[in-house]
Amino acid sequence: MSKWRALAGAVLLDLAVSPLFAWDVFTGSLRRDLGVGDAQLASVFSVGLAAFTVGVLVGGRVADSVSPRRLALLTAVGAVLGLLGSAAATSLPILILAFGILLGASTGLGYATAVRVAGTVQSGRGLALGLVVSAYAVGTAVLAPVAAALLVAVGRSGTFVVLAAVLGGVLLAAAALVPGRAPSSPRQSRHRARWTRPSRPVAVLWLVFALSSAPALAAFAQAGNLAGTPGAVALAVTLLNIGNFVGRLVAGPLSDRVGRSTALHGNSALLLLACLPPAVGATGPIALVALFLLGTQYGAISTLIPAATADVVPSEQFGSTYGVVFTGWGIAGLLAPVAAATFAAQIGYDGVYRSFMVIAVLAWACVATYARLVHGPGGQPADPGEGTT
């Protein structure tokens, strides 16, 4: 199968598995329809985030031995049922089951499948991953305003039904384009199962992902507070998302040219620079620029980590290994927003981001450790087959 046809399918797959991160668009209607409060609705997103992480973890391992087409079809079934269940939900537990667990897990599976297709190409891996993971950001950016308009026109239930139909169609198109053959033989699958301990580069990349994504994940939850004025909330969120898209699209091909370790060092420097304005209490235009840079850094690390992971493991083990590495992001996503909001009440958001600067330094130290471990020119691994899980 053509590399570009497979990548086109992976791009469509990632475009269609992004409704989880458009959650805020639905909360107003759900609050009225179900008669629940913000804290209860927040639990749906938290469950969805956890289910998404589990979907990537399990899906990555399954994707090493099951064809992408089968997984894309399974993603389509789960996503459509989750959206239809959200349309029919009359209580919070049903919504948690449909949107949180079913939609969250199935979209995590789809994300893992798309990333594995891109991460196992033989050339231009950074470009391939950049295209695929940036599609996820585009999907959220497009879905949010479309869903908001649909909520006004057809209501909550109608909106979820329309989304189920449209996203289901996109996922079927993705399934037709991605490879229909399993990526590894049963013998390779048995060989992979014998590996249980992550290598040192993989363990370090887990730390880099968790530490480097925490400041931006907190910012996505508290963008208005960081911008400094209530009127700047929408602009702050927009700049974060634009930066997220730019970082995902640019970092991959750039790392193909300068080397993965060099790109990771640059990402760490950008993280420190982005955390500095909120750490000194800056507001207004300076704070907005910082949020754009923070979104760019987050998007870049979302591309660089799977690319760096693919550099240090055999292709038949990439899915399962990246699934493990992705749990670092999942833990940061669960802890960073809550911790930032909790400590901000005591030390302010400037104090929180001074703490994040310390975390950024630790992340940079982990990047330096990764660069020493791979021992290759330009940060490329000396032995890509070494260090498996």
Side-chain angles (χ1 to χ4, degrees), residues 16-381:
V17 296
S18 55
L20 179 64
F21 287 90
W23 169 248
D24 279 349
V25 175
F26 306 112
T27 54
S29 294
L30 289 166
R31 191 184 303 113
R32 293 189 300 270
D33 290 351
L34 304 183
V36 295
D38 289 337
Q40 293 170 300
L41 287 174
S43 68
V44 180
F45 182 71
S46 296
V47 170
L49 195 63
F52 183 87
T53 304
V54 172
V56 175
L57 175 63
V58 176
R61 187 166 187 82
V62 172
D64 284 335
S65 55
V66 177
S67 75
R69 183 168 298 161
R70 288 187 180 183
L71 296 178
L73 290 172
L74 184 59
T75 298
V77 171
V80 168
L81 289 177
L83 290 167
L84 292 178
S86 301
T90 56
S91 65
L92 186 68
I94 295 175
L95 188 64
I96 290 175
L97 176 63
F99 193 96
I101 297 176
L102 189 53
L103 184 67
S106 60
T107 53
L109 171 64
Y111 185 86
T113 303
V115 170
R116 194 195 187 283
V117 170
T120 52
V121 300
Q122 296 304 308
S123 61
R125 184 176 294 153
L127 172 61
L129 282 163
L131 290 171
V132 169
V133 300
S134 64
Y136 190 83
V138 171
T140 302
V142 171
L143 185 63
V146 169
L150 285 171
L151 285 167
V152 175
V154 297
R156 185 258 301 186
S157 295
T159 296
F160 280 121
V161 170
V162 171
L163 291 180
V166 173
L167 296 181
V170 175
L171 287 168
L172 289 177
L177 292 172
V178 295
R181 297 180 60 183
S184 61
S185 67
R187 182 185 64 81
Q188 289 173 317
S189 299
R190 288 194 299 270
H191 174 73
R192 182 180 63 251
R194 291 198 297 268
W195 295 91
T196 57
R197 184 173 61 87
S199 68
R200 285 180 295 171
V202 169
V204 171
L205 286 172
W206 186 95
L207 287 170
V208 173
F209 206 5
L211 296 171
S212 296
S213 59
L217 288 169
F220 275 104
Q222 287 106 24
N225 292 313
L226 295 175
T229 57
V233 174
L235 181 57
V237 172
T238 299
L239 288 172
L240 269 171
N241 281 290
I242 291 174
N244 183 20
F245 169 70
V246 170
R248 287 170 184 253
L249 189 61
V250 171
L254 179 64
S255 71
D256 285 338
R257 296 179 63 88
V258 304
R260 226 70 76 194
S261 291
T262 300
L264 284 166
H265 278 297
N267 184 269
S268 295
L270 182 60
L271 178 57
L272 273 174
L273 178 63
C275 286
L276 182 59
V280 299
T283 58
I286 295 177
L288 293 173
V289 170
L291 287 171
F292 171 76
L293 294 177
L294 197 56
T296 303
Q297 176 273 328
Y298 171 74
I301 201 68
S302 299
T303 301
L304 293 174
I305 291 296
T309 302
D311 288 342
V312 296
V313 297
S315 61
E316 65 268 16
Q317 298 179 7
F318 170 68
S320 57
T321 305
Y322 180 64
V324 172
V325 173
F326 191 81
T327 61
W329 175 91
I331 291 173
L334 289 172
L335 296 181
V338 175
T342 301
F343 287 112
Q346 303 170 19
I347 60 176
Y349 281 101
D350 54 343
V352 168
Y353 273 82
R354 284 194 293 271
S355 300
F356 277 144
M357 290 190 73
V358 175
I359 289 176
V361 171
L362 293 175
W364 202 341
C366 291
V367 168
T369 300
Y370 168 80
R372 287 195 300 271
L373 288 172
V374 295
H375 295 302
Q380 298 299 322

